Amino acid sequence: GTAIVATDDGVLSAEYPAAWFAMSQDGSLAISNVDLIVLLIEENRVIEDVVEIAIYTDEILSNADPADLMSAITSFSELVIQGELKQFGHPVEITFGDREAIRQDFQSELIQGYLLVVDYDGNYLYVMVLTEIGQLVTEEEVIAAIVESIQYAPRETIPAAHERTPLRGPFPVTPDI
């Protein structure tokens, strides 16, 4: 079966396998096949077979004022991939439902995953999928189902990009690898 996790304000929600773990924190969502508290405690160790999906919106991730999808993925990449140098693939334009999106894959010695930014008429949805090497393929169907289930209903009160006050981290739902 599946369960649903949503932000307190209902702006963001996603479905995930009932045996997995999820939490909502400060307007963002985190979903994992490993207990998220364990992930936070074990943040300096890669847990075997781990899959983690972190979902953010502009409202908490306005570290830059993206004028378009490409600048949004660039600023997202810079924000979440810190520390050791990761191998980045080229950003690829895709569609997410009927919306424009950009996906950028990355990999290091221990982890692999991708960043996804989806354009909701100028509001951006940011998704980071993080797995142990090999799990991206092994868990591909489950990951795709979770990502495709994400619902984002931007509040109309979000100011235009050029009027936003940039917010800065830290974003505690994503442990450092």
Side-chain angles (χ1 to χ4, degrees):
T2 60
I4 293 178
V5 62
T7 52
D8 293 341
D9 57 12
V11 165
L12 200 56
S13 68
E15 272 186 58
Y16 63 97
W20 284 34
F21 300 86
M23 64 188 270
S24 167
Q25 184 172 358
D26 300 330
S28 65
L29 302 177
I31 298 170
S32 179
N33 60 348
V34 173
D35 188 334
L36 291 153
I37 303 303
V38 172
L39 277 184
L40 290 171
I41 294 168
E42 301 279 353
E43 64 179 55
N44 294 319
R45 185 172 73 84
V46 173
I47 296 169
E48 219 171 285
D49 300 336
V50 69
V51 175
E52 185 189 359
I53 300 171
I55 307 159
Y56 311 99
T57 68
D58 270 342
E59 294 172 66
I60 60 158
L61 205 60
S62 303
N63 68 312
D65 289 336
D68 55 37
L69 266 169
M70 192 55 79
S71 61
I73 192 87
T74 302
S75 60
F76 189 37
S77 304
E78 290 169 356
L79 182 73
V80 295
I81 307 300
Q82 298 165 336
E84 65 175 296
L85 187 65
K86 309 287 192 296
Q87 294 175 309
F88 273 98
H90 292 289
V92 179
E93 292 185 27
I94 61 171
T95 54
F96 183 85
D98 56 354
R99 301 185 180 279
E100 290 183 11
I102 288 183
R103 174 175 162 156
Q104 185 172 37
D105 287 71
F106 61 86
Q107 185 167 327
S108 74
E109 288 178 25
L110 299 172
I111 60 163
Q112 67 182 140
Y114 62 86
L115 307 174
L116 180 69
V117 177
V118 187
D119 185 355
Y120 280 74
D121 306 317
N123 295 293
Y124 295 95
L125 171 72
Y126 302 84
V127 181
M128 180 175 65
V129 175
L130 201 57
T131 73
E132 190 185 17
I133 297 289
Q135 287 296 102
L136 202 57
V137 174
T138 311
E139 299 286 350
E140 185 176 14
E141 285 181 23
V142 179
I143 293 169
I146 293 170
V147 172
E148 287 165 14
S149 79
I150 296 170
Q151 299 288 318
Y152 175 38
R155 286 196 291 256
E156 293 178 54
T157 54
I158 299 175
H162 63 275
E163 294 171 356
R164 285 190 203 131
T165 306
L167 297 178
R168 309 236 169 232
F171 301 104
V173 288
T174 309
D176 295 327
I177 294 298

